[in-house]
Amino acid sequence: MQVRTKNRTVNNRPIGIFDSGFGGLTVMSAIVEALPSESLIYFGDTAHVPYGSKSKDIVIKYSKEITSFLMKFKVKLIVVACNTASAFALSTLRKTLKVPVIGVIEPGSKAAIYASKNKKIGVIGTEGTINSESYVREINRISRYEVYQQACPLFVPLVEEGWNSGEIADSIVKKYIKPLLDKKIDTLVLGCTHYPLLRETLKKNVGRSIALIDSAKATAQEVKSILEEACLLADLKSRKFLKFYVSDNPKKFQAIGSRFFSKEMPSVKKIKMIS
Ligand code: DGL
């Protein structure tokens, strides 16, 4: 329910957020930090992860099912924390849902444009995100920049294994990044939920002069300004709750999740999906 106070309109309903699995917790963590009054409900589709190698149609199907689950909580806004789901399903979700839907590609693209001086931006992501060319389209919709892309399918399993740094991480990062460095990019978009955990290894291998763009932080700021503009911010002294749901293996989610969430994970509930 939206309540009018003397000075502004407030809305204490929760924000819904989803991802293919753990990765979106990097976005959740940034939102939790930026918006301390907001209650959040997170859904990780651990039964269907990874989305990065799946087809557009199936990712849209999963995303629709997850968002109808989130809508049962009367969420006031939905964040598509997964880059692949943002690339494939955002426009469908925006057409069908009656609340604002925010993806990670628009905020990440804006932040990259802001950071780049030589107008040469590199984007790394899953096969799905890269093949969709969503970052290329979004950056060029805003301004004419040269955008060079590279799919990095080994990064997700690498991070989930906890091998964020060391010899193996270094050599995989070097191999994927070389074609982008050859193009003389000055900005690199981490276009996947898992990549912020590789930040130090990436920094070491791309050099300090290249700006690394973390879509998670940019998305949290976008959520804040959309809620402000739409007068949908909560006015609580502290949030009422953070809830976590998954479609499979809640114990594993809780164990690995704390690495992505940078905090201790509260309890996680399993929900049966139709698909
Ligand atoms: N969350 C996905 C993304 O940001 C990465 C993991 C997956 O492939 O599902 O694209």
Side-chain angles (χ1 to χ4, degrees):
M1 197 186 41
Q2 202 149 302
V3 183
R4 248 168 221 295
T5 66
K6 230 193 250 168
N7 308 316
R8 62 186 188 113
T9 313
V10 295
N11 188 316
N12 292 328
R13 275 158 39 203
I15 295 171
I17 168 165
F18 78 94
D19 176 53
S20 55
F22 322 101
L25 290 171
T26 54
V27 181
M28 172 95 164
S29 170
I31 298 175
V32 163
E33 198 127 301
L35 292 161
S37 301
E38 302 294 335
S39 299
L40 286 115
I41 301 172
Y42 182 94
F43 188 94
D45 193 6
T46 45
H48 297 126
V49 68
Y51 280 7
S53 51
K54 292 201 168 62
S55 71
K56 179 172 177 168
D57 287 352
I58 199 81
V59 172
I60 291 179
K61 186 169 185 270
Y62 296 153
S63 303
K64 279 179 159 173
E65 204 182 321
I66 295 165
T67 49
S68 29
F69 169 74
L70 291 172
M71 290 303 285
K72 288 188 192 149
F73 294 88
K74 303 203 178 335
V75 293
K76 59 183 171 185
L77 176 143
I78 287 182
V79 181
V80 185
C82 177
N83 284 258
T84 312
S86 297
F88 286 158
L90 191 69
S91 59
T92 307
L93 297 176
R94 279 185 172 157
K95 274 183 219 142
T96 51
L97 296 170
K98 293 203 167 63
V99 294
V101 185
I102 299 175
V104 284
I105 291 173
E106 291 164 6
S109 300
K110 272 192 225 158
I113 286 172
Y114 188 73
S116 179
K117 304 268 182 299
N118 73 359
K119 300 198 165 195
K120 292 181 189 196
I121 297 174
V123 178
I124 51 176
T126 64
E127 280 170 274
T129 300
I130 297 306
N131 292 340
S132 76
E133 304 228 316
S134 300
Y135 274 103
V136 181
R137 269 199 311 280
E138 184 56 26
I139 292 170
N140 283 311
R141 192 183 63 77
I142 304 172
S143 190
R144 286 259 144 237
Y145 279 57
E146 286 173 44
V147 184
Y148 301 99
Q149 304 194 98
Q150 178 66 50
C152 306
L154 290 179
F155 280 4
V156 167
L158 194 70
V159 168
E160 290 194 2
E161 198 59 32
W163 295 356
N164 301 349
S165 59
E167 232 176 280
I168 297 171
D170 279 338
S171 62
I172 296 175
V173 163
K174 271 195 194 110
K175 179 99 180 159
Y176 281 137
I177 293 303
K178 171 133 193 344
L180 299 177
L181 296 182
D182 291 345
K183 297 291 182 191
K184 307 269 177 270
I185 58 159
D186 71 350
T187 302
L188 180 65
V189 181
L190 313 187
C192 172
T193 47
H194 288 54
Y195 300 178
L197 279 86
L198 286 171
R199 196 181 179 90
E200 286 315 309
T201 303
L202 281 162
K203 220 190 252 175
K204 179 175 147 195
N205 288 288
V206 301
R208 306 239 154 226
S209 60
I210 295 183
L212 299 183
I213 304 301
D214 179 349
S215 303
K217 287 205 181 113
T219 302
Q221 286 315 312
E222 182 87 356
V223 170
K224 192 174 177 183
S225 46
I226 287 181
L227 289 178
E228 262 163 15
E229 272 165 37
C231 297
L232 286 174
L233 279 169
D235 69 342
L236 305 172
K237 282 209 178 72
S238 63
R239 75 182 90 254
K240 276 200 258 174
F241 57 80
L242 296 177
K243 288 185 178 160
F244 296 86
Y245 295 93
V246 290
S247 46
D248 195 19
N249 218 338
K251 284 219 169 81
K252 186 174 175 196
F253 183 89
Q254 200 161 12
I256 299 190
S258 54
R259 274 200 259 135
F260 290 80
F261 193 44
S262 8
K263 289 174 198 58
E264 186 84 359
M265 294 283 303
S267 74
V268 181
K269 272 198 191 138
K270 181 179 161 181
I271 294 297
K272 198 168 165 19
M273 301 285 284
I274 306 160
S275 326

